Amino acid sequence: MIKIAVLVSGSGSNLQALIDANLSGQIVGVISNKPEAFALTRAQQADIQTAVIES
């Protein structure tokens, strides 16, 4: 199985589409440069690990 990490910075509508899709891989992590990004909440609700990397 392919492991997928998703980079996000906003609301996460594309992330939600990936979560809802029947992917041949598994989303194992979501990384954001903005700690307030709603995409992190979407990931956490789907039990996907998250990380924030601020520069």
Side-chain angles (χ1 to χ4, degrees):
M1 177 178 296
I2 296 173
K3 294 181 180 181
I4 302 167
V6 181
L7 304 177
V8 299
S9 63
S11 69
S13 57
N14 289 326
L15 171 64
Q16 189 65 54
L18 291 172
I19 291 169
D20 294 341
N22 187 16
L23 300 175
S24 59
Q26 177 186 11
I27 301 173
V28 296
V30 172
I31 303 168
S32 179
N33 63 332
K34 298 181 181 178
E36 71 278 3
F38 185 67
L40 295 170
T41 301
R42 291 181 191 262
Q44 291 164 351
Q45 290 173 344
D47 292 325
I48 300 170
Q49 291 185 350
T50 61
V52 176
I53 300 173
E54 296 183 83
S55 56

